[in-house]
């Protein structure tokens, strides 16, 4: 009955030529949207991300007796879309709500943070000191980095063999003393991420970034919340990529499949 192809909040239908796509939810974010708007960052967090926070915390407080009576699950948020669609910006807007909710539920001492990226067939640690990429034009920082640079530590995937599946071995895991420190770490890690200019985006992400928050429960259980900013799918005719950028695009599109 939706002849005009206008989206609704549930089972929305979008018509693009002869294609029909179905979604559970559709949001229409605006920069001036009030917090009460369902399409504001808070609205998107409440609808799409809060259930993941509930899963890793057991929807409980830091009280040990309450926590031990709840089931907890590892959870992952995947942000996917075409290059230049605003995926990283979306994650940047959601992370403060995620951190605030986890701190309120678990407390600062119960949280550990890790951030890695998958670039081509390489796994990189974005929180180790040697992964720092100085800003262009920051000559002083570049000189200091060249003097202090050390080989990046080797990190790799390994099957733990105990039912936990694949584990990242050797990546930096840090604690925080405040919510502000967690947000600073996240932004610093983003700045170290592999990026390059294309015809569609002056600062296109060339890797898949994974921001992982470990929730340590009083009874010894640990649940992981992975916030994944996938590299954007790319059409070579639009990006104009050649050489190394072209090889990256082929790898990115293959990974997403």
């Amino acid at each position: 009955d939706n002849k005009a192809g206008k989206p609704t909040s549930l089972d929305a239908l979008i018509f693009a030529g002869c294609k029909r796509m179905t979604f559970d939810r559709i949001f229409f974010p605006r920069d001036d949207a009030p917090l009460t708007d369902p399409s504001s960052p808070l609205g998107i967090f409440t609808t799409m991300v809060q259930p993941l926070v509930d899963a890793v915390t057991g929807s409980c407080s830091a009280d040990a007796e309450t926590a031990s009576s709840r089931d907890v699950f590892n959870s992952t948020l995947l942000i996917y879309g075409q290059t230049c669609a605003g995926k990283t910006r979306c994650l940047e807007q959601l992370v403060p709500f995620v951190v605030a909710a986890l701190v309120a539920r678990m407390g600062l001492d119960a949280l550990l943070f890790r951030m890695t990226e998958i670039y081509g067939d390489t796994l990189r640690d974005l929180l180790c000191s040697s992964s720092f990429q100085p800003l262009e034009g920051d000559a002083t920082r570049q000189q200091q980095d060249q003097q202090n640079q050390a080989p990046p530590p080797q990190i790799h995937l390994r099957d733990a063999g105990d039912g936990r599946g694949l584990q990242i071995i050797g990546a930096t895991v840090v604690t925080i003393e405040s919510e502000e420190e967690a947000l600073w770490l996240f932004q610093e890690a983003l700045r170290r991420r592999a990026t390059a200019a294309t015809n569609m985006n002056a600062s296109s992400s060339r890797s898949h970034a994974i921001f992982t928050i470990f929730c340590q429960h009083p009874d010894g259980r640990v649940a992981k919340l992975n916030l994944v900013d996938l590299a954007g799918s790319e059409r070579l005719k639009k990006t104009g990529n050649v050489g190394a950028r072209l090889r990256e695009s082929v790898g990115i599109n293959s990974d997403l499949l």
Side-chain angles (χ1 to χ4, degrees):
D1 296 332
N2 191 2
K3 296 180 180 179
K6 294 181 180 179
T8 57
S9 59
L10 286 172
D11 298 325
L13 301 179
I14 299 296
F15 294 88
C18 61
K19 296 181 180 179
R20 186 177 72 176
M21 294 168 281
T22 304
F23 301 90
D24 295 324
R25 295 284 194 283
I26 288 186
F27 301 95
F28 298 92
R30 310 189 318 270
D31 289 338
D32 60 347
L35 287 178
T36 54
D37 190 315
S39 292
S40 69
L42 177 58
I44 296 173
F45 167 79
T46 301
T47 303
M48 306 303 298
V49 188
Q50 183 71 62
L52 304 182
V53 172
D54 293 342
V56 297
T57 62
S59 191
C60 67
S61 66
D63 178 72
E65 183 176 351
T66 304
S68 62
S69 66
R70 306 274 187 165
D71 290 329
V72 297
F73 303 93
N74 295 331
S75 299
T76 298
L77 172 70
L78 294 172
I79 301 181
Y80 170 82
Q82 178 179 282
T83 184
C84 206
K87 298 179 298 299
T88 301
R89 176 59 177 161
C90 178
L91 182 60
E92 288 178 308
Q93 292 178 326
L94 291 175
V95 162
F97 296 110
V98 173
V99 171
L102 289 175
V103 169
R105 295 276 185 85
M106 305 291 297
L108 288 169
D109 294 340
L111 302 178
L112 299 171
F113 295 81
R114 180 182 73 199
M115 192 156 182
T116 55
E117 70 172 351
I118 301 173
Y119 176 72
D121 58 357
T122 303
L123 189 61
R124 295 179 173 178
D125 185 351
L126 294 179
L127 289 182
C128 72
S129 58
S130 57
S131 67
F132 175 75
Q133 297 291 332
L135 291 176
E136 185 176 354
D138 189 351
T140 303
R141 193 69 175 270
Q142 288 176 350
Q143 292 174 358
Q144 292 175 348
D145 242 30
Q146 289 172 356
Q147 294 173 357
N148 300 326
Q149 191 171 17
Q154 294 292 321
I155 62 175
H156 53 277
L157 290 173
R158 178 183 299 169
D159 190 339
D162 56 2
R164 292 183 297 164
L166 291 175
Q167 303 291 316
I168 296 178
I169 307 300
T172 303
V173 178
V174 299
T175 59
I176 58 167
E177 296 183 358
S178 66
E179 292 180 31
E180 292 75 17
E181 183 181 2
L183 301 182
W184 179 86
L185 280 171
F186 171 72
Q187 289 294 340
E188 180 69 6
L190 278 185
R191 195 160 69 93
R192 304 173 183 185
R193 190 177 176 186
T195 60
T198 72
N199 287 350
M200 293 186 67
N201 191 343
S203 183
S204 174
S205 299
R206 315 309 296 165
S207 67
H208 310 297
I210 309 168
F211 186 47
T212 303
I213 306 175
F214 299 87
C215 300
Q216 303 176 106
H217 289 264
D219 59 2
R221 292 177 298 172
V222 178
K224 294 185 296 184
L225 176 59
N226 296 301
L227 307 177
V228 184
D229 180 15
L230 294 168
S233 58
E234 299 184 337
R235 296 190 64 179
L236 301 182
K237 289 170 60 176
K238 290 186 177 182
T239 60
N241 289 342
V242 295
R245 299 289 84 78
L246 173 60
R247 291 190 293 274
E248 288 173 350
S249 294
V250 172
I252 289 170
N253 290 337
S254 298
D255 289 346
L256 295 175
L257 291 175

